[in-house]
Amino acid sequence: MSERAKVLGHGPVTLRTLASDLAVSVSTVSRVLRAQSAEEAERWASPETVERIRRSALERGYRANPIAASLRTSRSGLVGVLVPRLQDFVLATIYEGIEDAATEAGLSTFVTNSFDDPASQAAKSEMMLQRRVDGLIFGDAHLDHSFLDEFAERGVPFVLVSRHAGDHIAVTCDDVVGGRLVGEHLLHGGRTRPVVLAGLPFASTAQDRTRGLVEAYEHAGHRVDPSHVVYSGFDAAGGRAGMEQVLASGYLPDAVFATNDFAAIGALGALRDHGLRVPDDVAIVGYNDTPLAAEIATPLTTVRSPMHELGRTALDTLRHLMNGDDVSSVQLAPTLIARASSLPRPS
């Protein structure tokens, strides 16, 4: 810390301190101070904001993290990847895309599970930094992005994949559009009483897919009651538990949107156990178009998410970020795949 900062009575000055004082994001401050020229800095902020950031950093005695600085100047050729659970088919497919693109670029990757636990996420991230990764890809971002904001202060390049959070660079499927496609499809089939098995509330995938369906119904003049949005796991057990909760409430929907194919399969089992027929009594739609979706007894209508391409694009985006290139978030387009589970209600 500079003598001037000590005289002014400041504690250690971090990127977060500067961002808070200047009312800009941590990532913007990080990118501006990391830039090697005014032209590069002005990719991220206006000339006036660049000047404010640099002046404040100088006056307050900000010093960059030396570990992060050494990471930027001494490349290891290694990229770390954090996912909630690699056993999940979606995440495994995304990782395959990451690994394919990394191999083509001459990079190596290693992956670890955080189990969507913030303490584990922090510990595993630190472990990756100790292994001197050139950058990281997070597949486990939470909408409460305080951890990512703090991590941005380390100065290590990173990209989010599958989920987004805050203003951090992310490569995702356009999940709001995906949910909207589901809503329009169900409405076209005459289904006006949907429930949503939304997944985990802290995941953008759960919130965005739900929002898309709700917006489609509202646009058609049908309100989806908040009590008909149930948060449970993205897996089969979560889908079954969510469906059981809905049925135990006494509400009988004519459509179910599960924001993950495996949750949809769990819900199918619960509906079957209650003597309800799919699609005659209840239509059901999943998300991601995993291979199992087309092979079950009643083939599952679902939204195809370009999982492998998400991984490839995330790695390519990170590579450009590590090279100091101008990058921005990317959204890939979803596609509705209609199958027997959501045939129109019989007349």
Side-chain angles (χ1 to χ4, degrees):
M1 181 168 40
S2 71
E3 290 304 315
R4 175 177 172 79
K6 290 177 182 178
V7 169
L8 292 175
H10 293 293
V13 180
T14 67
L15 292 174
R16 177 178 291 279
T17 306
L18 297 173
S20 177
D21 289 349
L22 297 169
V24 296
S25 70
V26 173
S27 57
T28 297
V29 174
S30 174
R31 291 164 183 160
V32 166
L33 294 181
R34 199 167 62 216
Q36 299 300 308
S37 67
E39 182 181 30
E40 181 182 346
E42 288 168 14
R43 294 175 182 173
W44 308 110
S46 69
E48 295 77 11
T49 300
V50 169
E51 173 61 23
R52 288 172 57 224
I53 290 171
R54 288 183 164 174
R55 185 171 63 250
S56 180
L58 180 63
E59 290 176 351
R60 301 199 59 183
Y62 169 75
R63 290 185 178 179
N65 186 324
I67 296 175
S70 69
L71 285 172
R72 290 196 300 274
T73 57
S74 178
R75 294 289 181 91
S76 66
L78 187 61
V79 170
V81 183
L82 256 73
V83 297
R85 291 173 177 80
L86 194 57
Q87 70 181 22
D88 181 283
F89 178 85
V90 174
L91 296 168
T93 305
I94 289 173
Y95 179 62
E96 286 179 2
I98 292 171
E99 192 170 41
D100 285 350
T103 300
E104 293 171 10
L107 299 170
S108 299
T109 68
F110 74 99
V111 61
T112 187
N113 302 298
S114 71
F115 303 105
D116 262 328
D117 175 64
S120 178
Q121 186 183 48
K124 297 295 181 65
S125 299
E126 193 64 34
M127 176 268 291
M128 289 183 172
L129 292 182
Q130 291 172 2
R131 294 185 64 171
R132 300 185 65 81
V133 294
D134 291 335
L136 291 97
I137 297 176
F138 290 100
D140 57 353
H142 289 200
L143 286 169
D144 170 13
H145 46 86
S146 55
F147 166 75
L148 294 171
D149 291 345
E150 292 168 3
F151 192 83
E153 296 181 16
R154 311 292 290 271
V156 182
F158 68 89
V159 169
L160 313 183
V161 70
S162 183
R163 303 175 185 174
H164 63 80
D167 66 347
H168 301 290
I169 299 297
V171 177
T172 61
C173 180
D174 192 336
D175 289 316
V176 175
V177 168
R180 192 175 299 135
L181 291 173
V182 173
E184 292 169 351
H185 173 74
L186 291 172
L187 285 161
H188 183 73
R191 313 286 181 162
T192 58
R193 302 191 316 278
V195 297
V196 183
L197 305 181
L200 299 169
F202 52 74
S204 66
T205 46
Q207 298 292 347
D208 289 353
R209 294 167 189 177
T210 299
R211 179 159 66 92
L213 178 130
V214 170
E215 288 178 354
Y217 271 81
E218 287 180 346
H219 182 73
H222 299 280
R223 178 177 179 270
V224 178
D225 193 290
S227 67
H228 299 156
V229 176
V230 177
Y231 291 97
S232 56
F234 286 118
D235 57 3
R240 171 177 279 277
M243 195 71 250
E244 292 285 1
Q245 180 180 331
V246 171
L247 296 173
S249 73
Y251 180 69
L252 181 60
D254 62 5
V256 175
F257 173 36
T259 61
N260 181 288
D261 284 349
F262 293 103
I265 291 169
L268 273 168
L271 291 168
R272 177 201 60 212
D273 292 350
H274 284 263
L276 296 167
R277 300 167 299 168
V278 174
D280 292 357
D281 299 317
V282 184
I284 189 162
V285 179
Y287 206 102
N288 288 317
D289 194 28
T290 55
L292 189 60
E295 305 302 328
I296 59 178
T298 304
L300 181 67
T301 295
T302 184
V303 175
R304 179 173 294 160
S305 173
M307 297 173 283
H308 193 273
E309 189 61 25
L310 284 172
R312 291 188 62 89
T313 305
L315 191 284
D316 288 342
T317 302
L318 177 64
R319 187 164 54 85
H320 286 295
L321 187 61
M322 292 189 301
N323 290 336
D325 298 334
D326 188 7
V327 300
S328 56
S329 293
V330 178
Q331 284 190 321
L332 302 182
T335 306
L336 182 82
I337 308 298
R339 298 192 179 104
S341 70
S342 63
L343 290 173
R345 177 185 293 281
S347 57

